[in-house]
Amino acid sequence: MYLKTNTLTLTDRRSLIHGEKLEVVAVYADLRGFAQWSLTSTASEITRIIEVVYDRVIQLAFFYKHTFHKFLGDGFVLIWEVKDHSSRAEALHWAMAAAFEIHKRYWYIARQLRFPSPSGFGIGISCGEVVRIDPETFIPELNEPDFVGYPMNCGARLQKLAGPYGTVIDSAAAEIALNHPERVLRANNHILSLQLLRPHNKAVAVASKFSGLNENDIFGFRYVVWPYVKDALWRVDGRA
């Protein structure tokens, strides 16, 4: 909240914070090269790219059924609560579909812009148990839910391993995908089917330096690729 232009409402309500454990699938998306790109871009160009980010999230909310989203400057996080779906595989299905849509839509938009733009989104997907924090404070404007726990930290770190138009999933998501290939990886669709690739040694070395990442995810994360178009949208480490 930008306090400079907002007036906070004070009430006589006691401050309480409720917590609930639940399983989620989290998608972290971040525009690669945005900070460096913005140094030589105009305010209107930067605003247009941020507008693209906001438009993406709003459209995803209508079509891909995520429970929660938060904007993170030049990126965002989306969360699917498993309890809202029939299974973890079903929630992951929607998260993977949303990730693909993020890449696809940005690919089209970037080609329509009349100025150079950041190279594309890098995406990290994680699954597991978190705590949803629901605050009830004496300042209603600050009462927004949030999510804490290892999957949130894991997803944020893994997305750093994804190059432009790249998607990385944690070991838990990889296990779910391999156990439910028809729903998560679209294995029965020759054109749209996805594959999981093991990381190369350089990527594992980078992951091993991330603070708080457990051993399963250092060695067990996977890249997601779309073989039918030879990785034109879903790439490994940003390489064609």
Side-chain angles (χ1 to χ4, degrees):
M1 172 177 286
Y2 190 53
L3 297 178
K4 192 173 180 180
T5 57
N6 283 276
T7 301
L8 299 181
T9 304
L10 298 180
T11 71
D12 57 3
R13 177 186 301 172
R14 288 182 56 200
S15 291
L16 299 171
I17 295 181
H18 304 280
E20 177 187 359
K21 282 189 174 182
L22 69 168
E23 280 196 289
V24 303
V25 178
V27 169
Y28 280 86
D30 182 78
L31 274 173
R32 291 291 170 262
F34 180 88
Q36 191 65 32
W37 168 83
S38 67
L39 294 176
T40 56
S41 301
T42 66
S44 62
E45 290 170 346
I46 295 170
T47 301
R48 176 65 184 116
I49 293 299
I50 296 300
E51 182 181 47
V52 169
V53 173
Y54 275 60
D55 285 349
R56 276 292 67 220
V57 172
I58 292 170
Q59 291 174 5
L60 291 169
F62 281 102
F63 297 108
Y64 292 89
K65 305 181 180 182
H66 64 266
T67 310
F68 171 89
H69 64 247
K70 179 189 288 187
F71 293 104
L72 305 172
D74 59 329
F76 50 88
V77 58
L78 310 174
I79 291 178
W80 285 257
E81 294 182 7
V82 172
K83 68 179 183 179
D84 295 332
H85 302 273
S86 58
S87 65
R88 293 186 301 166
E90 186 67 15
L92 182 57
H93 158 80
W94 286 108
M96 293 276 273
F100 176 76
E101 181 64 21
I102 291 166
H103 289 320
K104 182 180 72 172
R105 187 61 178 165
Y106 186 77
W107 189 86
Y108 282 111
I109 290 174
R111 279 149 183 76
Q112 296 171 2
L113 296 174
R114 297 182 178 179
F115 54 85
S117 60
S119 51
F121 281 97
I123 293 178
I125 301 178
S126 57
C127 302
E129 186 178 75
V130 302
V131 176
R132 188 184 68 207
I133 303 297
D134 292 299
E136 294 183 11
T137 73
F138 57 88
I139 305 177
E141 289 84 359
L142 301 182
N143 294 341
E144 295 183 353
D146 205 353
F147 295 79
V148 298
Y150 175 76
M152 307 305 298
N153 297 330
C154 178
R157 285 160 176 74
L158 289 181
Q159 62 88 9
K160 297 177 182 179
L161 299 172
Y165 298 103
T167 300
V168 172
I169 63 176
D170 71 352
S171 59
E175 182 179 0
I176 295 169
L178 292 173
N179 287 334
H180 302 85
E182 293 83 6
R183 189 57 176 156
V184 179
L185 299 177
R186 307 178 243 182
N188 294 333
N189 189 317
H190 172 65
I191 294 177
L192 296 179
S193 64
L194 305 172
Q195 289 183 1
L196 304 185
L197 298 183
R198 294 180 181 275
H200 46 72
N201 291 337
K202 181 180 177 180
V204 171
V206 173
S208 67
K209 297 177 182 179
F210 289 157
S211 174
L213 204 61
N214 69 35
E215 187 172 342
N216 287 340
D217 291 316
I218 291 173
F219 296 99
F221 76 87
R222 296 290 182 264
Y223 288 100
V224 182
V225 295
W226 185 19
Y228 184 79
V229 293
K230 298 181 180 179
D231 307 341
L233 294 179
W234 289 34
R235 300 173 179 171
V236 178
D237 240 13
R239 301 178 309 216

